[in-house]
Amino acid sequence: MDRARLYLLVVGAVFLVVIGIPLFADPYWWGERFGWDTAVHTDLTTYLGRCLGAVAIAISATGLWASRAPADHRTLFDVTAIAGLLLAVVHLRGLLDEAQPAVEDAEALLYAGFAALAWWCKPAAPLPRISPR
């Protein structure tokens, strides 16, 4: 199995099970598992958590589906790399503001590594086809 296919399978499955589905189903339950203070429930937090869970499900499911032919879905590697970089920035901001649990602090490095891994696993561009004259 090549690294592009393995990346899409592992990342898709892990994010689907650990982030996407739980966050979509019950953001406060998910937050408690990651050490967040969930004493105050608001409709906005529930809504935003479910929206983020829905996006995670969509990207994860697309990654699993794309694992059948990774070279045909090269832009998905860019999407996941950019998402990883942006999530690293979000987690770094939370770390600097001391506004998140310690596990989220560690995720700043995890997401930066995830972004680098996405670009490393991205399949090479196909060679251009030369049509006969």
Side-chain angles (χ1 to χ4, degrees):
M1 182 177 305
D2 66 3
R3 68 183 180 215
R5 177 169 286 132
L6 186 62
Y7 168 84
L8 292 173
L9 285 171
V10 171
V11 170
V14 169
F15 271 78
L16 187 64
V17 172
V18 176
I19 306 288
I21 293 172
L23 195 54
F24 180 74
D26 188 347
Y28 285 100
W29 179 89
W30 178 89
E32 288 172 1
R33 300 307 166 280
F34 280 78
W36 287 95
D37 177 7
T38 60
V40 178
H41 289 222
T42 68
D43 291 340
L44 178 61
T45 305
T46 300
Y47 170 78
L48 292 174
R50 287 185 177 150
C51 286
L52 184 58
V55 171
I57 289 170
I59 293 172
S60 297
T62 301
L64 291 171
W65 182 81
S67 70
R68 299 177 312 151
D72 293 342
H73 305 281
R74 295 178 71 246
T75 56
L76 184 57
F77 292 84
D78 296 326
V79 168
T80 58
I82 293 166
L85 288 175
L86 292 171
L87 286 166
V89 170
V90 167
H91 285 74
L92 183 59
R93 169 91 187 258
L95 170 69
L96 295 175
D97 292 346
E98 298 179 0
Q100 63 195 19
V103 69
E104 299 290 340
D105 295 345
E107 286 181 14
L109 289 174
L110 178 77
Y111 282 117
F114 168 69
L117 185 63
W119 274 314
W120 181 68
C121 291
K122 182 179 178 180
L127 297 173
R129 295 182 186 180
I130 301 173
S131 57
R133 290 189 171 229

